Amino acid sequence: MKKRKFNFVDLIILIILTIFGLAVLYPFYNAILVSIVPQHVYAASPFMLWPDEITFNSYKKVLSDPAILNGLKTTLIVTILGTAYNMILTILTAYALTKEIPGRKLINYLILFTMFFSGGLIPYYLLIKNIGLINNILVMILPMGFNIMYMIVMRSFFSQLPTALEESAKIDGANDITILFKIILPLSLPIIATLSLYYGVNRWNEWYHGMLFVNSTELMPLQLVLRNIVQDANKFLQGNTAAVANVKTFSEGIKMASVVATMFPIMLLYPFLQRYFLTGLTLGAVKS
Amino acid sequence: MKKKLSRTGLIEQMLNYKYIYLMLVPGLLFLLTFKYLPMYGIQLAFKRYMLNKGITGSPWVGLENFRYIWTEPAFWRAFKNTIIISLMKLGLGFPIGIILALLINELRIKKYKRFLQTIYTFPHFLSWVIVSGIVFNFLGNTGAFNSFLQTIGMHKINFLMNKSIFRYLLVYSEVWKEAGWSTILYLAAIAGIDPTLYEAATVDGANRWYKIKYITWPGIQNIVVIMFIMTVGTIMVAGFNQVFNLYNEVVYDVGDIISTYVYRISFQQAPDYGVSTAVGLFNGLINFILLMLANAFAKRFGNSGII
């Protein structure tokens, strides 16, 4: 097909999309700038297009803050163990549900019902308390078993694998567990990598369970530590005079350095996350 | 293939699948513990919770908790805010994803298109904690945007503490974070449209607008309807993570939603667990009905829905 000429409407579209792009990008860019300039540059004008002067003081403070380092430790544990736990539950459940076992329909309903109805905050809180998970790192791992959408994506992937290999293995006397680990999983590495990444990001972003169920500062996840830092900024913005009086350090710079540092791992992983956008991950979830 | 099975046949079949059932154990154990067991506590909605008596031993009070909520202005404020905020997001935010997808699809410079999409979708992967930090920095009283306004000779606007602006701030930040992500579904649907349709239309002399109206739009209409219905189904949710990280006492009047209200009354000094549970149950039931309706409607549009 012949290439069409770039006309006026194309230009308008280009401009609108560029403006939206800048509207998304600039707040990030500004946060990064604020995190690397010294206080007097920020005070002169927080609206910057480039850094007039660069310093890593804010980062030095953030990266030597024991609360941040503790949070990082907790979050790394939660992310690694949590993702492994998520994947084990997701794979086992998804694979089992590709089989025409008696009771499958009931199990499907049991799973889906939880998307529509839950006990609510207080019953959940009391349960967690009763099973002794308060102030336990497991509270940020165990209650997030598998994401139903991700499980459905995995199930669709499994069910479109060719069954011939499975059948011949069965004839050779392999049981279902062997088949899953020896035959199915090696064929499923791309989807395993994708879902692990998505789960990993979710675990990295964990703060809610930490806020509800953890009160020892030792066990606070990174995002909760960040939330405390940022919400302090919120008070500062409200003109809380006590907070204003106490500002000796460049608090906004430290806040943005914490924000940027916390999202840095996601920035690193982003190209991999993005690779799977159009492979039908989300579409698959909605269709099935 | 479903055959009627005799009882022995059924047991035999289940034994055949014993390892499959074994695989289901961890997942079902998780659901049972963290999704179904809490439902036992719902009875607190009809009880006065006493710490020393626990869930089972606390005395029944009938509908007293619900009567209390009925007369509680803070509850009705949260109820109203939840619906208004959801409707604003639906009316102002929802169409932006569609328009954005249509515009992206019309952009002809492939590399630039990919670059823009890379930017648009990134915020989706960040938590609301991070996003709130970025929003405070950018829109705060001493932030970049206000500094920009002053540079061009306008007055500062206190975006975070202004009652008439706060709900728009919620819509704006939601669009900023999720609009790019929402285009993915639509763009995937557009990618599935038969390209020969466009070629034939070009041969027939159709302009861009006609192609959008008669080829692209019908191609994504179904998914738009589904997304719309599912969004309506979650109208009573309104987004705890977002509101909780962005709001402050000054804007409770316009920003406090049911989930943030439940959180606050549950973890304040001397909380009444019965009342909290009752609010949660009330909200949960409305949610349940809305979602079931949404699902039924989605099915009617020829799609499978969630169930």
Side-chain angles (χ1 to χ4, degrees):
Chain A
M1 215 170 62
K2 209 176 65 183
K3 252 198 173 168
R4 260 183 4 91
K5 250 183 23 198
F6 189 88
N7 64 23
F8 182 68
V9 182
D10 285 305
L11 182 68
I12 298 290
I13 291 171
L14 184 82
I15 291 171
I16 295 174
L17 288 175
T18 303
I19 290 173
F20 188 73
L22 287 174
V24 174
L25 196 60
Y26 186 75
F28 282 116
Y29 182 60
N30 186 263
I32 294 170
L33 288 180
V34 171
S35 73
I36 56 168
V37 297
Q39 184 160 22
H40 66 265
V41 174
Y42 174 79
S45 168
F47 179 69
M48 296 172 268
L49 293 179
W50 55 85
D52 283 331
E53 206 182 315
I54 292 181
T55 167
F56 291 102
N57 278 343
S58 298
Y59 283 98
K60 272 180 209 151
K61 287 210 177 82
V62 166
L63 295 177
S64 59
D65 180 351
I68 293 260
L69 295 177
N70 250 326
L72 180 64
K73 198 177 101 192
T74 304
T75 292
L76 281 176
I77 296 171
V78 167
T79 303
I80 292 165
L81 291 183
T83 305
Y85 168 72
N86 287 150
M87 285 310 289
I88 292 168
L89 289 196
T90 308
I91 289 171
L92 291 178
T93 311
Y95 182 67
L97 290 177
T98 60
K99 303 288 173 215
E100 293 275 347
I101 52 170
R104 182 171 83 149
K105 217 172 171 184
L106 175 75
I107 294 165
N108 269 329
Y109 275 112
L110 275 177
I111 293 173
L112 288 169
F113 182 71
T114 61
M115 284 183 92
F116 288 78
F117 189 73
S118 74
L121 183 60
I122 286 299
Y124 186 57
Y125 179 80
L126 291 175
L127 172 94
I128 296 286
K129 207 170 145 186
N130 287 338
I131 59 177
L133 284 183
I134 301 268
N135 261 335
N136 185 329
I137 196 162
L138 290 176
V139 82
M140 292 173 272
I141 297 172
L142 295 180
M144 279 72 68
F146 60 88
N147 175 307
I148 294 176
M149 282 302 175
Y150 294 177
M151 190 279 287
I152 291 173
V153 168
M154 186 128 235
R155 195 182 65 191
S156 328
F157 184 90
F158 285 153
S159 50
Q160 44 113 47
L161 288 174
T163 52
L165 280 172
E166 228 174 303
E167 277 157 16
S168 65
K170 200 129 216 191
I171 292 165
D172 291 343
N175 69 37
D176 291 307
I177 294 175
T178 320
I179 290 174
L180 174 61
F181 283 95
K182 290 267 160 69
I183 294 171
I184 303 293
L185 290 191
L187 292 173
S188 314
L189 293 180
I191 192 86
I192 291 175
T194 309
L195 291 184
S196 303
L197 273 175
Y198 278 79
Y199 275 127
V201 169
N202 289 345
R203 295 284 74 81
W204 180 264
N205 284 336
E206 153 64 31
W207 60 275
Y208 181 68
H209 281 74
M211 178 181 74
L212 286 183
F213 305 119
V214 168
N215 38 41
S216 96
T217 41
E218 285 272 293
L219 278 180
M220 278 188 187
L222 184 58
Q223 300 264 348
L224 186 59
V225 176
L226 178 70
R227 190 186 131 77
N228 293 342
I229 295 173
V230 165
Q231 288 295 322
D232 188 34
N234 193 14
K235 270 184 212 121
F236 177 63
L237 292 170
Q238 284 170 39
N240 182 322
T241 43
V244 174
N246 277 331
V247 175
K248 287 197 190 84
T249 48
F250 177 26
S251 64
E252 196 58 25
I254 291 172
K255 268 140 214 172
M256 285 311 106
S258 321
V259 164
V260 174
T262 308
M263 74 181 180
F264 187 68
I266 296 178
M267 287 164 82
L268 280 186
L269 285 179
Y270 184 54
F272 302 99
L273 288 162
Q274 200 193 13
R275 193 179 295 173
Y276 301 99
F277 284 1
L278 295 171
T279 60
L281 181 74
T282 42
L283 197 64
V286 168
K287 272 194 176 161
S288 33
Chain B
M1 271 192 302
K2 277 195 178 160
K3 289 177 219 157
K4 288 260 178 207
L5 292 159
S6 65
R7 178 155 297 179
T8 48
L10 180 70
I11 290 169
E12 201 175 299
Q13 206 187 356
M14 288 177 78
L15 278 174
N16 255 338
Y17 283 123
K18 58 180 181 291
Y19 291 113
I20 298 291
Y21 286 110
L22 200 63
M23 288 179 200
L24 281 169
V25 170
L28 290 180
L29 211 59
F30 150 70
L31 284 178
L32 191 73
T33 314
F34 294 105
K35 304 285 177 185
Y36 283 98
L37 269 185
M39 290 181 197
Y40 178 75
I42 290 176
Q43 56 180 283
L44 283 180
F46 309 96
K47 285 185 162 182
R48 180 177 304 114
Y49 181 72
M50 291 176 177
L51 194 62
N52 52 352
K53 292 193 172 158
I55 296 173
T56 319
S58 292
W60 295 93
V61 292
L63 293 175
E64 194 186 289
N65 293 328
F66 290 93
R67 258 182 239 124
Y68 170 78
I69 301 167
W70 192 261
T71 58
E72 174 60 44
F75 166 74
W76 289 109
R77 182 181 72 178
F79 186 79
K80 198 180 91 188
N81 284 338
T82 307
I83 293 175
I84 293 175
I85 289 167
S86 287
L87 288 179
M88 281 175 71
K89 283 182 183 173
L90 190 66
L92 300 171
F94 184 78
I96 290 180
I98 301 165
I99 294 167
L100 199 58
L102 291 174
L103 290 177
I104 292 171
N105 185 51
E106 291 298 315
L107 190 64
R108 284 177 208 287
I109 313 158
K110 280 268 153 58
K111 276 194 177 155
Y112 189 54
K113 184 163 149 179
R114 280 214 72 86
F115 171 71
L116 282 179
Q117 281 187 279
T118 303
I119 294 171
Y120 293 163
T121 36
F122 179 65
H124 169 77
F125 294 98
L126 303 175
S127 67
W128 275 109
V129 173
I130 291 182
V131 174
S132 70
I134 291 172
V135 169
F136 292 156
N137 173 62
F138 184 58
L139 293 179
N141 223 5
T142 55
F145 195 74
N146 273 322
S147 157
F148 171 73
L149 285 182
Q150 282 183 314
T151 315
I152 60 169
M154 287 170 70
H155 285 292
K156 277 195 189 181
I157 301 168
N158 198 342
F159 293 97
L160 306 172
M161 313 214 355
N162 189 320
K163 282 188 196 173
S164 53
I165 291 178
F166 186 73
R167 286 172 184 155
Y168 292 97
L169 178 78
L170 293 177
V171 176
Y172 157 80
S173 54
E174 174 97 359
V175 167
W176 184 83
K177 187 173 187 294
E178 301 295 343
W181 180 251
S182 73
T183 63
I184 288 172
L185 269 180
Y186 303 129
L187 287 170
I190 292 174
I193 297 172
D194 183 358
T196 58
L197 288 175
Y198 290 103
E199 284 161 29
T202 312
V203 172
D204 290 345
N207 66 21
R208 187 200 306 262
W209 175 243
Y210 275 83
K211 283 186 219 167
I212 292 176
K213 195 172 168 194
Y214 295 109
I215 303 172
T216 314
W217 175 248
I220 62 168
Q221 211 176 11
N222 235 350
I223 196 91
V224 169
V225 171
I226 301 290
M227 292 313 288
F228 183 81
I229 293 169
M230 295 325 278
T231 315
V232 172
T234 56
I235 232 161
M236 291 303 288
V237 179
F240 174 85
N241 285 359
Q242 181 195 20
V243 175
F244 188 72
N245 282 300
L246 286 176
Y247 80 165
N248 53 62
E249 270 174 65
V250 181
V251 292
Y252 280 174
D253 268 350
V254 292
D256 194 22
I257 57 175
I258 295 184
S259 47
T260 51
Y261 170 69
V262 171
Y263 174 82
R264 280 205 326 279
I265 61 169
S266 301
F267 295 102
Q268 69 192 1
Q269 301 254 303
D272 186 333
Y273 283 179
V275 170
S276 304
T277 311
V279 179
L281 178 62
F282 178 77
N283 193 21
L285 285 177
I286 298 180
N287 262 334
F288 180 72
I289 293 166
L290 283 174
L291 280 169
M292 290 307 274
L293 285 175
N295 199 57
F297 274 113
K299 270 186 180 167
R300 288 191 90 188
F301 280 92
N303 282 271
S304 46
I306 289 181
I307 287 194

